[in-house]
Amino acid sequence: MTDINPSAAAAPSPDVTRTAFEGESIWLPRLSVEHLNAGHDAIRGKTFTECLIEGPAVMLPAGDVVFEDCHMGTASSPQNLLLAPVGDLVTGAIGMADCRFVRCRFLYVGFVGHEAFREMFAAGVPSLSSLQESGQ
Amino acid sequence: MSFIDPAQGLPMTGLGRPLNITDDLGKRAFVNEDMALYDLFAFHLRHGRSMIDGISFTGCRIEGPAIMLILPGTTFDAVNFGESKGDIGNLVLRPVRNMAIGAIPVINCTFQNCEFHALGFTGNEQILSEILAIKAVG
């Protein structure tokens, strides 16, 4: 398992009305719970720029979630970052919609979605071996 | 922190008692105490442990949002796995390959008379098929 340090756990409570985060550590479970407690069923309409997005969490990108130049996590294959739903609904994942991640790094975060999402995700994330070959 | 905000009053759990958030995540045995699974995992990580290993939970409410990676030696007895909206498959995620990054590994733990809230579950095919078989009950 990845050894992580949830340094964002001690961060101040996030304001659910904020729409822009830059250069911050975001503990995804906490951000999610803040939104759930505020009556939001998902994290919507945020832009994260150069943030460290920390789990443990499994993200359910649902509608217009964009990843630009992000490091999605350390895995020998991007498929190792993915889970597939068994039923029509997903429980326990953190729903996100209309969010943009720019040059962010994900740590101990998995991703769940249906087949089309998984294929797109796997195609868009270079594998660790290919990064090593290119010297990144 | 809890899924339910204590400042707004502690509601009843489905266990016939009010929410009782544990004040010691370092215990090896929890009885009638409640917690968020990610808080418990973060506690163990801070203490150099990469898994939740060998803990017993009796009469506890375990909250997400989180995905539990069920590893060998973990058992469930008289447990409410949570709201499944009529299909236990809605609580189950299947790893696409052979890892479950982002899920919280739970090994050699016992859950007795517990209830889960906003938790999903993953594991190997044998474990997943055992959970999926729950829908045949009742």
Side-chain angles (χ1 to χ4, degrees), chain B residues 25-46:
Chain B
L25 288 170
K27 288 183 176 178
R28 307 299 297 169
F30 295 95
V31 179
N32 298 331
E33 295 165 272
D34 309 320
M35 70 211 71
L37 190 63
Y38 52 81
D39 275 338
L40 181 63
F41 185 50
F43 175 90
H44 282 275
L45 285 174
R46 284 195 295 272

Side-chain angles (χ1 to χ4, degrees), chain B residues 38-110:
Chain B
Y38 52 81
D39 275 338
L40 181 63
F41 185 50
F43 175 90
H44 282 275
L45 285 174
R46 284 195 295 272
H47 289 80
R49 297 185 285 267
S50 61
M51 293 188 279
I52 298 173
D53 186 354
I55 313 286
S56 72
F57 304 85
T58 306
C60 298
R61 174 183 168 96
I62 317 288
E63 299 181 345
I67 306 297
M68 180 189 294
L69 171 60
I70 304 169
L71 293 171
T74 293
T75 60
F76 303 90
D77 182 15
V79 161
N80 178 353
F81 281 86
E83 174 59 65
S84 67
K85 302 277 198 301
D87 177 5
I88 196 77
N90 290 333
L91 302 180
V92 175
L93 299 179
R94 180 171 276 126
V96 168
R97 200 164 271 188
N98 56 359
M99 294 184 74
I101 290 172
I104 295 175
V106 175
I107 187 167
N108 298 320
C109 290
T110 61

Side-chain angles (χ1 to χ4, degrees), chain A residues 64-68 70 98-102:
Chain A
D64 287 335
V65 175
V66 176
F67 304 97
E68 296 177 15
C70 290
D98 303 322
C99 287
R100 192 164 163 239
F101 296 90
V102 181

